[in-house]
Amino acid sequence: MSALAEKGISTAAERDDPYPSRQESVARFLPRREPVVSGTVDAGPLNQRQLDEFEANGFLVLPELLSANEVERCLSEIELIRSNRDWLSRPEAVIEPEADALRSLFAVHRLSDFFAAVSSDERIVRRAMQILGSDVYITQSRVNLKPGFSGKGFYWHSDFETWHVEDGMPRMRAVSCSILLTENNRHNGPLMLVPGSHRHFLTCVGETPDEHYRQSLRSQKFGVPDDANLQTLIDDGGLRSALGPAGTVIFFDCNTMHGSGSNISPWPRSNLFFVYNRVDNRLERPFCDKAPRPEFLAAREYCPTVRPSAFPNSWPTSHARGDAGTQ
Ligand code: 6CS
Ligand code: FE
């Protein structure tokens, strides 16, 4: 027995990993081990048809979850954050790869009391809790702005693959929620998803570079599927674009294969994005030999922002916090 093993410290090779990725030279499919829907219809508010659709496709599009007025308030809050701070130099800000424009702003629920309240809105959190069958907390939040003319796409990926390998998310027990703040139409680079892809874990090839997130958030090269297996998934399930007016909300499973194209239309595609994770699926050591990513990308702290009854469908008029970003 090695000295480490005697002390009860497992090496990477000894650690039990149900979803090993970026470790072999050939990609392969591994079966999903966790259920897709863990809650029941009695827990509401999703009906059985919606739960079945989420389970079968790995996503669900819900029109008109937010009102036009609520969408306006979200857009104003984004403008407030951008106008009040030197946001370009903040670590939470990701700039477009080929233009001096804001691509993503992370941890918005920590930067702004207003977005903390939105992330706790009952209409969203209750549905996430129902899908996951558990209390949840936020492990990542962001706005993706994808500006008109210059907004670049997001290559195909499973979020879970990155969150597992780079952040140490143990199991497929998280759900993403994308809130459309502008119309997402077929011209402005909408989210595309592969129905049914969430049922298979596709391993990726290529070792994770140091500080990979500095590159991957602008343009991801590791943790993306190979062409042949991606083709198989799409042959099997087809492709769907999630379109809808502002106020539409898309829930999708953490392992659903998805991506989006560039936005060469004049119309910005602005989406707010929250990831809800089961409280018993807290992040561990990464499943690679690199340091964990920063807290603003992958929260290890249990952040008690999810309080469904605290803001029963009424959001505060609050503004961006002055003290954010000191983490
Ligand atoms: O890094 C993340 O957490 C997310 N962003 C990208 C570009 N890919 C993986 C994941 O969705
Ligand atoms: Fe993603």
Side-chain angles (χ1 to χ4, degrees):
M1 192 187 262
S2 74
L4 282 175
E6 272 171 23
K7 288 184 184 155
I9 301 170
S10 60
T11 61
E14 287 163 344
R15 187 178 178 200
D16 181 39
D17 183 356
Y19 299 113
S21 184
R22 310 188 200 176
Q23 296 180 19
E24 294 171 359
S25 55
V26 180
R28 62 190 167 119
F29 286 109
L30 297 171
R32 181 192 180 106
R33 299 189 183 205
E34 294 76 32
V36 178
V37 173
S38 298
T40 60
V41 70
D42 332 319
L46 295 172
N47 62 35
Q48 194 59 52
R49 184 192 57 74
Q50 292 170 321
L51 288 174
D52 291 346
E53 192 175 321
F54 186 90
E55 176 140 38
N57 290 338
F59 62 91
L60 183 65
V61 181
L62 299 171
E64 294 180 6
L65 212 64
L66 265 63
S67 69
N69 179 262
E70 288 166 332
V71 167
E72 275 311 309
R73 293 176 65 191
C74 289
L75 289 169
S76 308
E77 186 74 358
I78 292 171
E79 284 317 309
L80 194 71
I81 295 174
R82 291 173 71 171
S83 64
N84 278 4
R85 317 156 170 277
D86 49 342
W87 50 266
L88 263 175
S89 59
R90 296 186 64 86
E92 293 92 340
V94 179
I95 311 305
E96 287 287 351
E98 287 167 29
D100 195 15
L102 186 61
R103 172 174 169 87
S104 302
L105 186 65
F106 278 86
V108 286
H109 73 296
R110 294 187 184 210
L111 293 173
S112 145
D113 287 335
F114 175 79
F115 283 128
V118 178
S119 73
S120 301
D121 188 280
E122 285 207 293
R123 288 164 292 179
I124 298 163
V125 178
R126 291 271 174 228
R127 286 170 171 84
M129 289 171 66
Q130 189 184 7
I131 289 168
L132 295 173
S134 161
D135 282 344
V136 296
Y137 75 101
I138 292 202
T139 184
Q140 186 186 91
S141 75
R142 70 208 281 188
V143 285
N144 285 333
L145 290 167
K146 205 182 268 195
F149 302 123
S150 61
K152 291 283 175 289
F154 291 80
Y155 193 68
W156 295 105
H157 63 279
S158 144
D159 293 331
F160 178 77
E161 197 277 344
T162 293
W163 298 340
H164 181 69
V165 174
E166 299 190 28
D167 301 334
M169 181 183 281
R171 300 280 174 174
M172 294 182 188
R173 293 267 191 202
V175 64
S176 296
C177 170
S178 183
I179 302 173
L180 279 49
L181 299 181
T182 60
E183 181 188 37
N184 281 213
N185 57 44
R186 63 205 166 96
H187 305 294
N188 65 354
L191 179 67
M192 296 186 286
L193 308 110
V194 184
S197 55
H198 60 305
R199 287 193 289 263
H200 314 278
F201 181 75
L202 175 56
T203 70
C204 299
V205 171
E207 207 184 316
T208 313
D210 286 333
E211 305 215 320
H212 180 223
Y213 69 93
R214 293 186 190 276
Q215 167 65 33
S216 67
L217 301 176
R218 307 180 82 192
S219 169
Q220 189 171 359
K221 302 275 189 310
F222 297 87
V224 294
D226 63 290
D227 292 359
N229 286 314
L230 178 61
Q231 177 89 51
T232 304
L233 284 175
I234 297 175
D235 285 348
D236 224 46
L239 269 186
R240 279 265 308 272
S241 291
L243 308 179
T248 301
V249 173
I250 305 158
F251 283 92
F252 60 104
D253 180 83
C254 59
N255 188 46
T256 302
M257 190 65 74
H258 64 282
S260 63
S262 294
N263 182 12
I264 58 170
S265 85
W267 309 296
R269 189 210 69 155
S270 305
N271 292 349
L272 184 58
F273 185 74
F274 298 122
V275 183
Y276 299 93
N277 189 21
R278 269 175 71 122
V279 289
D280 61 2
N281 195 38
R282 300 266 296 272
L283 307 183
E284 299 176 354
R285 205 154 40 87
F287 286 86
C288 67
D289 61 3
K290 297 293 185 273
R293 300 198 299 174
E295 186 75 15
F296 70 83
L297 290 180
R300 285 161 192 284
E301 293 292 308
Y302 174 70
C303 178
T305 50
V306 177
R307 39 183 190 257
S309 54
F311 296 98
N313 300 344
S314 74
W315 297 343
T317 49
S318 91
H319 299 298
R321 280 182 201 155
D323 62 348
T326 51
Q327 55 208 318

